[in-house]
Amino acid sequence: MRNIFKITIVFALLLTAGCSTKYLDPVPQTSLSDLSVFDTKDRIVAQVNGMYDYMNSGAFMGGRFQVYGDVRADNFIPKSSNLVTNFASWNHTEVSSTNEVQNCWGQIYATINCVNVFLDGLKTNWDEGKLDGIITQDELDQYRSEGLTIRAICYFSLLQLYCKPYNQGNGANPGVPLRIKAMKSSEENDLARSTVAEVYTQILNDLNEAEPLAIEDYGDPVMNTTRVHRNTIIAFKTRVYLNMQDWAKVVSESAKIVSSSAPFTATSGVAFALNPSFTGIFEPPYATSESILSMPFTTTSTPGTQNGLPHYYSYLSSESYFLNTNPGLAYAAMDATDARKTSLLLSDGKYFLTKFSDYTTLTDYAPVMRYAEVLLNRAEAIVRAGGAVTQEAVDLLNAVRTRSFPTGGYTVASFASASDFYTAILQERSIEFLGEGIRTMDLQRLNLPFPAKDGGAMGTVLEIPPTSIGYIWPIPANELSLNKLMTPNQ
């Protein structure tokens, strides 16, 4: 991890988001103790921005992580066989040296170390009284909550790509190295893998610690969409518990931010609710009541050409991905009148998403999580926890479904069994979150195979069963080389 060490120590301390480097003095430094990054509130805020900047990278939540979550699955076919734009992930031929395998791991761990450097420094300076008169207790708590949540998102993301899902062995399989303290020298490279269960425990420890510390509402829609607040944390916990198949916890956490009946809203903190228009979620200013967390971009701060979501889904890109129209997949399952289908664009006989339309300047926000997911998480968990289809679960599913397909509502009688409900909700998720990186998570958390794919000129891909080594990514070659305690996936 020497390459990651160089990135994290230099940039995590000296760089921050956008133009925020103006808060730091451009003087050479030789050690962490030399840096005066906690001298003023502006410098502390710049470091908070810096944590988001790392997560916002096109190599991570700024675009590519979401792309990996879709192209590894079954709903898309590539225009191009360019390995730079994830063709190896689409056809499951990734190896330890594959670009995305190495780059995503490196960026996520760089983000983690940026967070750890900040949290360590913040605590030390606060405990020593050096922040008296600079920030308040409430500000300290909020900054900590943001760092802890970003770190939790990072570790959850690593588990989805590089580790067997929790349902295989109840988390007993190898996870990733748990780095929860700042790396300050290359001598700290060597660290063995924790188990999947241990990593999930750390994720939940971070989120549970962060929740009571977090601000309830920034009072600004854009801030509420792009910065962590209390309801962001609760929402993300529903995703974590869903992937652990802890249905009771999904139900209890979602109850904090989902009202007991339609129209479903969060009744405290930021007032989450479904946006009336599906297409409106993905239009400027990208800050609807449904947008729980998104990565922002501007014309002067973009994810990079081959990183941004428009590059992967716009019909204008020569390297984009179009909808697989074969039977049984999301496109075929959509009714012709469904707004999610009518919003697709037909070009050269291929259907493309229009969610991310700014191909020219790449300013579309990259969604990390939406309220629609929380409602569907809750609906599924209610039925799985109780073993029976309930009216509330159907109402939650219908809230998402009928927004785009008003005549497609279900009743409890629509489902002969709980199994039929699970099939319907998995299909609804596949449709609703096209291009948002959810599909692979859904397949793996349920221990389902990656279906075979007929990509036409791009070739065919055989089914990848959960027992296959190709079900998850390999550990990057750089990590295996530089971390003597690291072990490969088997």
Side-chain angles (χ1 to χ4, degrees):
M1 285 187 54
R2 190 168 294 109
N3 58 327
I4 298 174
F5 166 75
K6 292 178 180 177
I7 293 171
T8 53
I9 296 303
V10 177
F11 289 156
L13 295 172
L14 298 180
L15 297 184
T16 50
C19 297
S20 55
T21 48
K22 67 185 180 182
Y23 297 120
L24 305 179
D25 295 324
V27 295
Q29 305 290 349
T30 58
S31 70
L32 297 178
S33 60
D34 292 334
L35 299 171
S36 302
V37 290
F38 293 94
D39 280 359
T40 68
K41 182 177 177 178
D42 280 350
R43 291 184 175 186
I44 295 170
V45 170
Q47 291 185 81
V48 174
N49 291 338
M51 295 188 294
Y52 285 98
D53 195 40
Y54 270 81
M55 183 167 66
N56 197 30
S57 165
F60 183 23
M61 281 298 179
R64 279 187 175 254
F65 181 81
Q66 293 89 326
V67 173
Y68 303 146
D70 268 292
V71 304
R72 296 190 73 227
D74 47 356
N75 282 319
F76 291 93
I77 297 173
K79 277 187 181 181
S80 167
S81 59
N82 188 353
L83 292 175
V84 174
T85 49
N86 310 324
F87 186 69
S89 287
W90 179 77
N91 67 8
H92 294 276
T93 56
E94 311 97 323
V95 294
S96 288
S97 59
T98 299
N99 286 335
E100 55 261 39
V101 171
Q102 301 230 74
N103 294 342
C104 190
W105 177 282
Q107 186 61 41
I108 294 176
Y109 269 108
T111 306
I112 289 168
N113 202 54
C114 180
V115 170
N116 290 342
V117 167
F118 174 67
L119 291 178
D120 286 359
L122 186 69
K123 183 179 187 304
T124 297
N125 280 271
W126 179 269
D127 290 347
E128 294 176 356
K130 294 179 180 178
L131 301 184
D132 293 351
I134 297 177
I135 61 172
T136 65
Q137 178 72 55
D138 285 347
E139 289 167 333
L140 173 77
D141 290 346
Q142 173 58 19
Y143 301 153
R144 279 189 52 76
S145 76
E146 292 178 89
L148 291 166
T149 304
I150 291 170
R151 185 167 70 187
I153 291 172
C154 286
Y155 277 115
F156 178 84
S157 302
L158 286 166
L159 289 178
Q160 306 318 303
L161 291 172
Y162 299 94
C163 304
K164 292 179 181 179
Y166 187 90
N167 61 64
Q168 294 187 19
N170 281 331
N173 287 302
V176 295
L178 265 178
R179 300 185 183 275
I180 56 175
K181 294 183 179 180
M183 285 182 64
K184 300 179 181 179
S185 78
S186 58
E187 295 176 358
E188 299 171 88
N189 282 343
D190 298 335
L191 183 64
R193 302 172 73 166
S194 296
T195 66
V196 168
E198 288 168 340
V199 179
Y200 269 111
T201 295
Q202 181 63 49
I203 290 166
L204 290 168
N205 285 345
D206 280 351
L207 293 173
N208 288 328
E209 181 180 347
E211 183 183 340
L213 301 177
I215 193 170
E216 289 198 7
D217 191 330
Y218 288 100
D220 176 81
V222 173
M223 289 283 284
N224 284 338
T225 299
T226 59
R227 293 278 294 271
V228 168
H229 50 79
R230 188 194 65 186
N231 285 357
T232 317
I233 299 165
I234 296 168
F236 199 78
K237 282 201 283 183
T238 71
R239 180 186 285 185
V240 173
Y241 282 123
L242 193 79
N243 278 265
M244 297 176 71
Q245 297 191 358
D246 190 337
W247 316 121
K249 283 290 191 180
V250 177
V251 173
S252 62
E253 290 293 337
S254 60
K256 299 177 184 178
I257 55 173
V258 178
S259 55
S260 59
S261 60
F264 299 104
T265 60
T267 57
S268 64
V270 174
F272 293 149
L274 291 179
N275 195 56
S277 161
F278 175 76
T279 56
I281 302 166
F282 307 99
E283 297 171 353
Y286 310 107
T288 72
S289 59
E290 184 168 342
S291 305
I292 291 176
L293 182 63
S294 296
M295 298 291 100
F297 296 103
T298 67
T299 54
T300 57
S301 177
T302 71
T305 302
Q306 290 178 310
N307 294 327
L309 294 173
H311 187 82
Y312 286 94
Y313 297 116
S314 171
Y315 76 101
L316 294 170
S317 171
S318 63
E319 297 174 321
S320 62
Y321 288 74
F322 55 92
L323 270 295
N324 187 340
T325 59
N326 288 326
L329 303 180
Y331 176 85
M334 285 187 277
D335 186 86
T337 64
D338 192 314
R340 297 167 297 191
K341 194 167 196 173
T342 60
S343 67
L344 300 175
L345 187 147
L346 179 62
S347 175
D348 194 27
K350 302 175 179 67
Y351 288 95
F352 294 85
L353 294 180
T354 58
K355 287 181 175 181
F356 317 110
S357 59
D358 187 8
Y359 177 68
T360 303
T361 56
L362 302 175
T363 58
D364 293 281
Y365 282 24
V368 176
M369 192 171 191
R370 293 196 279 120
Y371 194 56
E373 182 187 341
V374 175
L375 299 188
L376 295 180
N377 290 352
R378 179 170 176 80
E380 180 179 347
I382 286 172
V383 178
R384 290 192 184 274
V389 181
T390 68
Q391 187 62 55
E392 182 185 3
V394 172
D395 290 345
L396 288 159
L397 172 55
N398 280 339
V400 176
R401 180 175 174 80
T402 60
R403 169 179 57 183
S404 298
F405 182 21
T407 61
Y410 295 114
T411 67
V412 173
S414 300
F415 306 102
S417 66
S419 179
D420 290 341
F421 184 85
Y422 304 149
T423 299
I425 206 160
L426 189 62
Q427 176 178 281
E428 200 64 35
R429 292 170 68 93
S430 182
I431 295 169
E432 178 73 16
F433 302 118
L434 282 168
E436 298 178 55
I438 301 295
R439 180 61 172 163
T440 288
M441 286 188 224
D442 280 346
L443 294 175
Q444 291 183 320
R445 70 181 173 84
L446 296 171
N447 216 32
L448 297 173
F450 287 107
K453 294 183 278 195
D454 180 0
M458 291 295 114
T460 58
V461 182
L462 298 178
E463 178 182 283
I464 307 294
T467 54
S468 169
I469 193 171
Y471 198 61
I472 56 175
W473 273 1
I475 298 299
N478 284 346
E479 181 71 10
L480 291 169
S481 173
L482 297 169
N483 179 354
K484 296 181 180 63
L485 298 179
M486 193 64 189
T487 55
N489 283 331
Q490 297 178 347

